[in-house]
Amino acid sequence: MNLYFAPLACSMSTRIAFYEAGATAQFTQVDTRHKLLAEGGDFRAVNPIGQVPVLRTEDGWLLTENAAILPYVADRFPEAGLAPADPAGRARLQQWLGFIGTELHKAVFTPLLDPAAPEGAKAYARSKTASRLDALQQHLAGREYLLDCFSVADAYLVTVLNWAPYCGIDLAPWPAVAAYQQRLLQRPSVARALGEEMALYKEEQRHRAQA
Ligand SMILES: N[C@@H](CCC(=O)N[C@@H](CS)C(=O)NCC(=O)O)C(=O)O
């Protein structure tokens, strides 16, 4: 399998899932700002809207959207236990993938991280932040993970929460969320993915500063 990714972007959640599963995977870096593959070529030939993640499966077909890619990877490596198999557990997994993708990633973090987003969009995102983090705080108080054990939803959530300091969100008022994030950052798969992608991110920033 080949993951098209950008350093520290939401695609890092799939890298974490690969590391959890001990899977062999290839990683192709993308410059999402310029829609270019790091190795050369137009990324829009892979994904017309120029977004990561994109997964090229072993059979050669392409899959987009975190909410589809993460359960697919979990199902490809069932022994890793990254997604529940029962209907109720599966529905809960989809619930959290939907919440993270739409209520946190797109509604809160994307406008706050995007330098091109107008102030009105940023103000709207800020107005949504507390209620979303309140919901997470309520759910995570007294729990280790979103579900009964670590799942691909946690891989996505730790990736998204990692952006908080970059857009001025202090998690301190949500102690269960802050503690969850710190706990997850210690997990070997997460620490490895973050360490590798942070190095790539810094390298990308250096190149951009020189260009
Ligand atoms: N709905 C997509 C969103 C993916 C997404 O927002 N990717 C960001 C990185 S976190 C991206 O590629 N942004 C570049 C762009 O939108 O041009 C998913 O869940 O996979």
Side-chain angles (χ1 to χ4, degrees):
M1 281 196 250
N2 188 0
L3 177 69
Y4 294 86
F5 79 100
L8 303 186
C10 53
S11 45
M12 193 175 84
S13 54
T14 300
R15 184 188 289 271
I16 294 169
F18 281 142
Y19 292 167
E20 283 284 334
T24 305
Q26 275 79 54
F27 299 93
T28 299
Q29 191 168 335
V30 177
D31 174 350
T32 51
R33 191 184 292 179
H34 301 104
K35 311 296 177 206
L36 290 173
L37 296 165
E39 61 203 20
D42 188 349
F43 177 53
R44 279 167 295 209
V46 178
N47 182 358
I49 63 169
Q51 288 189 334
V52 292
V54 178
L55 184 71
R56 190 181 293 280
T57 69
E58 286 136 324
D59 302 327
W61 53 278
L62 294 171
L63 186 61
T64 61
E65 299 296 325
N66 289 294
I69 292 172
L70 289 167
Y72 177 81
V73 171
D75 287 347
R76 277 287 292 99
F77 304 98
E79 63 290 344
L82 296 173
D86 65 293
R90 200 70 184 194
R92 287 284 178 218
L93 176 74
Q94 289 306 139
Q95 176 192 332
W96 284 111
L97 291 174
F99 177 84
I100 299 161
T102 62
E103 302 302 332
L104 283 177
H105 179 175
K106 285 296 166 181
V108 171
F109 285 99
T110 295
L112 294 180
L113 287 168
D114 186 349
E119 188 43 47
K122 290 185 189 293
Y124 182 79
R126 277 188 220 104
S127 77
K128 299 288 174 195
T129 304
S131 62
R132 276 41 176 186
L133 291 174
D134 285 350
L136 262 186
Q137 167 68 25
Q138 209 177 346
H139 181 72
L140 287 172
R143 302 183 63 93
E144 208 169 334
Y145 304 111
L146 288 168
L147 305 180
D148 292 341
C149 56
F150 182 89
S151 72
V152 286
D154 296 298
Y156 192 9
L157 183 55
V158 70
T159 298
V160 167
L161 291 177
N162 186 50
W163 302 332
Y166 296 92
C167 51
I169 297 178
D170 178 6
L171 294 178
W174 299 277
V177 180
Y180 165 91
Q181 179 67 357
Q182 289 313 311
R183 208 166 48 245
L184 273 271
L185 289 174
Q186 306 301 316
R187 202 172 166 89
S189 63
V190 177
R192 179 181 167 198
L194 188 56
E196 291 173 354
E197 294 214 1
M198 183 60 83
L200 293 170
Y201 177 78
K202 286 182 178 162
E203 200 178 302
E204 188 180 67
Q205 296 299 107
R206 261 197 308 275
H207 279 132
R208 279 184 181 163
Q210 284 164 3

